[in-house]
Amino acid sequence: MGIPIINTDAKPSCDASVLDLPQLYKRPTAAELLATLIQLRRKPSSWDDTEVSGQSGVDEEGLPSYLTSIIASSLAWIVDDDAKEQIWEAASARLSERSGRSGSLKGFNTGKSGVSDVDVAIPSAARTFLIPATAATNAVSITLHEPSLTADNLGHKTWLASFLLAKRLPSLGSHIPVLNNRRSPTSKPRVIELGAGTGLVGLAVAALFDADVHLTDLPAIVPNLRFNVDTSLSNTSGGAKGRISVGALDWSDLPCYEAKPEMQYDLVVAADPLYSPQHPAWLVAAIECVLKKQDQAARVVIELPLREAYMPEAENFKTRMKALGLLIEAEGLETGFDDWESAQNGRMEVECWWAVWRWA
């Protein structure tokens, strides 16, 4: 017989420490442990500058070790095996929430025979992103689903550069004529997002500018991308709704689009698309493939985090874009905080470079 799950709105005091939590040497009841683990639940960050990640009401120092001790314990004094499983699962979930979105949390000895680390899958999450109102656009709220993150599917995470670019787009109207100067009241700009990931930038374009947007990524990323698009009508508020489609596009194996006018786009957008030496060449080839030719209104908008390890890729990308015949219409730097965080709960400050490109 399982114990009842306790629903409680009570939160530990904001001054509480890990020592104020039920200690295993005192053999707390299963109900006490489950109630505590519910109270320690953390919502995922959406990087609002005013947001403080965590908010469990307990000082985060010592919490990973506390949670690990629960996972490692046999909980021998609790006779209900179902209750034990619930406690271990809840403790694992709280621990994974504190490992950021980096895929695993290493380095905590569990004490169990043959198990030296805790390696937990980062749980799935729903995040809501607010694009503030401007003089030209309404505020837009977009909720996205992020599946459990693994190192080989980083497109399942919404990266900071996507959020920054989505917020910046309304201010770039003077540099992106297709978003503001319609050829006719019924014509809509045609936009493609390369490496769309969870779809934030493309969904923002559709909502803010009533554009027709095609979101693309690798086949493994497309199912979640399509899920976010399918639920966008109910999960996006505050803006017009352009037509949105989804498709797989592998930059290393591009189809021939040049002979197909329907696959040529007014605007190409991409956020944080470079994380291997091959990507600059592949990305520029993809841009050449899908961007309208001989159209002075056509634009490419890119946002890249300036990570030291990938600076050569960023410079390679710029060189290749110029060689293609594109030049920078506008560019700038901005800073935000990503949640690719450490086990100590620190958010990572990231500087990003954005640029609007056009044909020379």
Side-chain angles (χ1 to χ4, degrees):
M1 171 179 166
I3 66 166
I5 296 294
I6 296 176
N7 293 317
T8 175
D9 294 326
K11 296 287 184 183
S13 162
C14 62
D15 295 324
S17 78
V18 69
L19 297 178
D20 297 314
L21 302 177
Q23 300 300 307
L24 296 186
Y25 75 88
K26 293 184 177 180
R27 299 190 171 190
T29 66
E32 288 173 326
L33 285 174
L34 279 170
T36 297
L37 293 169
I38 289 171
Q39 292 164 1
L40 292 176
R41 183 180 293 140
R42 293 178 58 198
K43 68 174 184 177
S45 167
S46 292
W47 314 308
D48 188 308
D49 290 341
T50 63
E51 181 183 77
V52 178
S53 182
Q55 301 297 342
S56 68
V58 177
D59 187 341
E60 290 288 318
E61 186 176 357
L63 270 180
S65 295
Y66 176 77
L67 294 168
T68 303
S69 71
I70 295 175
I71 298 169
S73 173
S74 65
L75 304 177
W77 64 94
I78 298 174
V79 297
D80 190 321
D81 289 338
D82 290 340
K84 291 181 183 179
E85 290 295 334
Q86 291 177 27
I87 292 168
W88 289 325
E89 289 177 7
S92 296
R94 300 297 84 81
L95 186 62
S96 67
E97 290 163 3
R98 287 161 172 80
S99 69
R101 299 290 291 169
S102 55
S104 66
L105 192 152
K106 293 281 190 178
F108 294 101
N109 193 296
T110 64
K112 287 184 177 179
S113 175
V115 182
S116 59
D117 294 298
V118 175
D119 189 358
V120 289
I122 305 308
S124 60
R127 298 176 186 242
T128 299
F129 299 89
L130 177 64
I131 314 301
T134 70
T137 59
N138 296 326
V140 171
S141 175
I142 301 174
T143 299
L144 300 174
H145 177 256
E146 295 182 3
S148 184
L149 187 65
T150 59
D152 58 343
N153 274 336
L154 298 181
H156 284 158
K157 180 188 186 302
T158 307
W159 294 92
L160 172 67
S162 297
F163 184 42
L164 293 180
L165 181 54
K167 291 196 299 180
R168 175 155 296 280
L169 283 169
S171 71
L172 297 178
S174 62
H175 300 294
I176 310 176
V178 296
L179 293 183
N180 293 300
N181 303 324
R182 300 286 179 88
R183 294 182 176 90
S184 73
T186 58
S187 70
K188 292 186 177 183
R190 300 188 68 250
V191 182
I192 186 170
E193 183 176 7
L194 301 176
T198 60
L200 177 59
V201 176
L203 288 169
V205 173
L208 291 166
F209 302 102
D210 196 20
D212 289 344
V213 182
H214 186 50
L215 306 180
T216 67
D217 212 311
L218 293 170
I221 305 301
V222 164
N224 183 65
L225 183 56
R226 182 170 283 113
F227 174 85
N228 281 334
V229 168
D230 290 344
T231 57
S232 64
L233 286 178
S234 59
N235 288 344
T236 302
S237 63
K241 303 295 191 299
R243 186 173 59 188
I244 307 170
S245 58
V246 177
L249 183 60
D250 184 341
W251 306 342
S252 68
D253 186 22
L254 291 168
C256 181
Y257 282 170
E258 294 191 20
K260 299 179 180 180
E262 70 275 11
M263 297 307 295
Q264 301 291 292
Y265 292 86
D266 303 301
L267 174 64
V268 179
V269 295
D272 200 355
L274 305 177
Y275 46 92
S276 85
Q278 296 84 9
H279 284 170
W282 291 351
L283 177 58
V284 173
I287 290 170
E288 181 181 18
C289 188
V290 300
L291 183 65
K292 280 187 176 179
K293 311 298 187 294
Q294 300 177 339
D295 188 338
Q296 287 300 307
R299 294 291 186 271
V300 179
V301 182
I302 298 286
E303 182 123 8
L304 300 177
L306 299 181
R307 301 187 185 102
E308 184 175 354
Y310 296 108
M311 291 304 293
E313 282 76 10
E315 292 303 318
N316 188 356
F317 169 76
K318 295 178 187 178
T319 299
R320 290 177 178 274
M321 289 286 279
K322 292 174 183 176
L324 182 60
L326 292 160
L327 57 80
I328 295 176
E329 162 95 4
E331 64 181 325
L333 298 174
E334 57 188 336
T335 302
F337 294 87
D338 208 337
D339 66 342
W340 194 255
E341 58 190 308
S342 68
Q344 285 69 44
N345 189 38
R347 291 196 300 166
M348 181 181 294
E349 186 176 36
V350 179
E351 185 177 42
C352 293
W353 169 77
W354 61 267
V356 180
W357 297 76
R358 65 174 176 83
W359 292 113

